[in-house]
Amino acid sequence: MKPVIVIHGGAGALTRQAMSPEKELRYLAALQDIICQGQRLLTAGASALDVVTEAVTMLEDCPLFNAGRGAVFTHQGTHELDASIMDGRTLEAGSVVGVQRIRHPIQAARKVMEHSAHIMFTAAGAEALAREQGLEMVEPDYFSTDERYQQLLAAQQGAGKVLLDHDAPLDPERKFGTVGAVALDAEGNLAAATSTGGMTNKQVGRVGDSPILGAGCYASNRTVAVSCTGTGETFMRTLAAYDVAAMMEYGGLSLEKAADRVVMEKITSLGGSGGLIAVDGQGNIALPFNSEGMYRGYGYADDKPVVAIYR
Amino acid sequence: MKPVIVIHGGAGALTRQAMSPEKELRYLAALQDIICQGQRLLTAGASALDVVTEAVTMLEDCPLFNAGRGAVFTHQGTHELDASIMDGRTLEAGSVVGVQRIRHPIQAARKVMEHSAHIMFTAAGAEALAREQGLEMVEPDYFSTDERYQQLLAAQQGAGKVLLDHDAPLDPERKFGTVGAVALDAEGNLAAATSTGGMTNKQVGRVGDSPILGAGCYASNRTVAVSCTGTGETFMRTLAAYDVAAMMEYGGLSLEKAADRVVMEKITSLGGSGGLIAVDGQGNIALPFNSEGMYRGYGYADDKPVVAIYR
């Protein structure tokens, strides 16, 4: 059993043709930086919980990914951010929904977990708690980037369609943006974290799978830590993250088989698309996706980081 | 296989000593009326989806129960209502979170399911959709009753404690309020619906298990329809509703064994309390709870309704 971190930066219709070599390198470099930082922390003995918090914080800070700075715009030109975190050791969890002023929504989810009797807070409730806990607050336009704004305009001109993430898509309806991390630490503890800006041009108030325990995020030391990305609604209807755990615990499936069955059979049977990352207590990992690509990578402690975008 | 409806009106420290005989009769009569209406609909060939919608609408209208009119107050003296519904035939679902102006939150959840590409909407987003769909809107104080207001004052005087539902509790921290219904119709379809006002004196923005698919509500024709009530956070951490389905599907457990294991082992192992109602595709039902009481009842089509409060 070796400590390991696995991250994703969203899945969708990512094809080599649609992306410039420069842009591809920027994505790969960003993923690699974050994995290396996770590896350093794991080697230094950090907890899985701290490692996924740090990795998702870095993903939120990177404008390439649809979470934190660089989050997509809602139909009304605002940002509504969702995030969740779960500690596999205790099954404790925290989640924030529709926040607009917290620089790092994943840190707010962690504060909810650690400083509240509750698990999930929406908008103003979450922001009040984040402020009390001393988290960095920002103006709502902190999250805006010109590239995301152009995507909003494109989506609104395209008959008001919802645009599912990322840049220069071949098929705008088949790109999804979420970021996430899962980790196993040296003490055998698992943790998972997920954060998102949702969908470009989404209706205000829409909540996807990212802040929902068991849908977009789940961790239990008994089984597995999972973070998902894709068409949120199908991940909610299938309880995708928890379903991996349930198939392992009750059905005796391996991590690989359980993760594959969720992504390649259950999600697709409902017309959904996307992928997930997962790690079990033995350090086995899985990164299945049924879309053209998924920004992803992993790194075992004291080993080389591995990053990839396409199949 | 006979069509059947099962309902609950919350669980907690309900003891005969704490309730007057008159009040007990009012609860039993209310439960019986709603079950009888569900039985009539089922006999007339109504769908499970229509039956659970109607039953929860009636529970929301009854001020005895903590949902719709008679919902508890938040810390700020407002009401924030959550509801969800799931169709076992299609795995489609709808959910609303923190709404304040929709008379019947369960009907709003159903509108989200039927008229939106999404599953979950918070506050203003949910209310805009409900208004568009012609649902009855009310002033926020429509939901207020004097009895609930007295409970808020009592909770705030009691060192600001959160009060978990219902009247004259022996131990205010051990009463929970949610309503729910599950049904099997003549065509073999299952459905589940859950609605709540949350917890007296709760922090604004707190979301419990009721609007979360797989936590407080789940239905799949492959397995089971489930609606939960109790300490919401433990039902979220255990994915209580979906866990019943997963144990049946992957572990081969009977409905009764799966429901019992969730309520009597998994929820209690995390320090949680409450219960659930469930029905499978063969018309087997389960109504386990680990608290002193649960307002509950069921009725098979063309049979006598059965209602109960205590063990």
Side-chain angles (χ1 to χ4, degrees), chain A residues 42-81:
Chain A
L42 287 170
T43 301
S47 70
L49 201 59
D50 282 345
V51 169
V52 298
T53 305
E54 172 73 5
V56 172
T57 296
M58 292 177 76
L59 285 158
E60 287 175 341
D61 276 342
C62 178
L64 292 171
F65 303 106
N66 173 22
R69 184 157 157 73
V72 299
F73 285 85
T74 68
H75 181 68
Q76 297 190 356
T78 57
H79 304 284
E80 294 189 341
L81 310 174

Side-chain angles (χ1 to χ4, degrees), chain B residues 40-310:
Chain B
R40 272 192 295 274
L41 290 171
L42 287 170
T43 303
S47 69
L49 200 58
D50 283 345
V51 169
V52 298
T53 305
E54 172 73 5
V56 172
T57 295
M58 291 177 76
L59 286 157
E60 287 175 342
D61 276 342
C62 177
L64 292 171
F65 302 107
N66 173 21
R69 186 159 155 72
V72 298
F73 285 85
T74 68
H75 181 69
Q76 298 190 355
T78 56
H79 304 284
E80 294 190 341
L81 311 173
D82 303 329
S84 62
I85 190 164
M86 191 159 180
D87 181 352
R89 190 172 59 84
T90 59
L91 298 183
E92 286 179 351
S95 163
V96 296
V97 175
V99 298
Q100 306 196 316
R101 294 174 173 275
I102 303 169
R103 180 174 171 190
H104 296 115
I106 196 63
Q107 294 184 11
R110 176 126 182 219
K111 292 291 188 189
V112 170
M113 179 174 86
E114 294 179 339
H115 299 281
S116 161
H118 306 306
I119 288 177
M120 179 180 272
F121 281 96
T122 57
E127 289 175 3
L129 189 140
R131 205 170 267 126
E132 264 172 41
Q133 293 295 327
L135 288 189
E136 185 179 348
M137 306 301 286
V138 293
E139 289 302 309
D141 65 0
Y142 161 82
F143 301 106
S144 304
T145 62
D146 185 58
E147 190 166 350
R148 297 296 185 208
Y149 189 64
Q150 296 306 321
Q151 291 174 355
L152 174 65
L153 295 181
Q156 291 183 336
Q157 279 154 14
K161 267 185 202 163
V162 166
L163 187 71
L164 295 164
D165 189 57
H166 298 314
D167 36 275
L170 288 181
D171 179 350
E173 291 189 90
R174 291 166 62 217
K175 309 197 91 207
F176 326 105
T178 308
V179 307
V182 295
L184 168 69
D185 64 28
E187 296 187 0
N189 292 315
L190 296 173
T194 306
S195 181
T196 191
M199 301 181 307
T200 295
N201 202 26
K202 71 178 175 184
Q203 289 172 265
V204 166
R206 176 261 183 184
V207 183
D209 64 315
S210 300
I212 308 291
L213 295 190
C217 180
Y218 183 76
S220 167
N221 278 7
R222 294 174 66 95
T223 47
V224 67
V226 182
S227 173
C228 301
T229 179
T231 46
E233 280 72 11
T234 46
F235 286 75
M236 295 165 85
R237 292 162 67 195
T238 57
L239 280 305
Y242 184 68
D243 208 29
V244 177
M247 285 190 201
M248 291 172 68
E249 180 161 5
Y250 306 137
L253 266 63
S254 67
L255 168 64
E256 191 188 351
K257 283 205 170 136
D260 256 23
R261 191 167 297 175
V262 168
V263 172
M264 302 304 180
E265 296 175 26
K266 292 226 178 183
I267 293 293
T268 52
S269 76
L270 294 179
S273 178
L276 62 79
I277 55 172
V279 57
D280 70 15
Q282 286 70 55
N284 299 304
I285 63 172
L287 302 84
F289 56 97
N290 58 37
S291 47
E292 280 80 356
M294 180 166 81
Y295 300 113
R296 64 198 187 276
Y298 63 89
Y300 286 90
D302 305 316
D303 203 346
K304 274 193 304 193
V306 177
V307 294
I309 299 177
Y310 314 111

Side-chain angles (χ1 to χ4, degrees), chain A residues 30-174:
Chain A
L31 292 168
Q32 183 156 325
D33 277 357
I34 296 164
I35 292 163
C36 288
Q37 172 67 358
Q39 290 175 299
R40 272 192 295 274
L41 290 171
L42 287 170
T43 301
S47 70
L49 201 59
D50 282 345
V51 169
V52 298
T53 305
E54 172 73 5
V56 172
T57 296
M58 292 177 76
L59 285 158
E60 287 175 341
D61 276 342
C62 178
L64 292 171
F65 303 106
N66 173 22
R69 184 157 157 73
V72 299
F73 285 85
T74 68
H75 181 68
Q76 297 190 356
T78 57
H79 304 284
E80 294 189 341
L81 310 174
D82 304 329
S84 62
I85 191 165
M86 189 159 182
D87 181 353
R89 191 173 58 86
T90 59
L91 298 183
E92 285 178 352
S95 162
V96 296
V97 175
V99 298
Q100 306 196 317
R101 293 174 173 275
I102 303 169
R103 179 172 171 191
H104 296 116
I106 196 64
Q107 294 185 10
R110 176 126 183 219
K111 292 291 188 189
V112 169
M113 179 174 88
E114 294 179 340
H115 299 281
S116 161
H118 306 305
I119 288 177
M120 180 181 271
F121 280 96
T122 58
E127 289 175 3
L129 189 139
R131 205 170 267 125
E132 264 173 42
Q133 293 296 326
L135 288 189
E136 185 179 347
M137 307 301 285
V138 293
E139 289 303 307
D141 65 0
Y142 161 81
F143 301 105
S144 304
T145 62
D146 185 59
E147 191 167 350
R148 296 296 185 207
Y149 189 65
Q150 296 305 322
Q151 290 174 356
L152 175 65
L153 295 181
Q156 292 184 335
Q157 281 154 11
K161 269 185 200 161
V162 166
L163 187 73
L164 295 163
D165 186 56
H166 297 313
D167 37 275
L170 289 180
D171 178 352
E173 292 188 271
R174 292 167 59 217

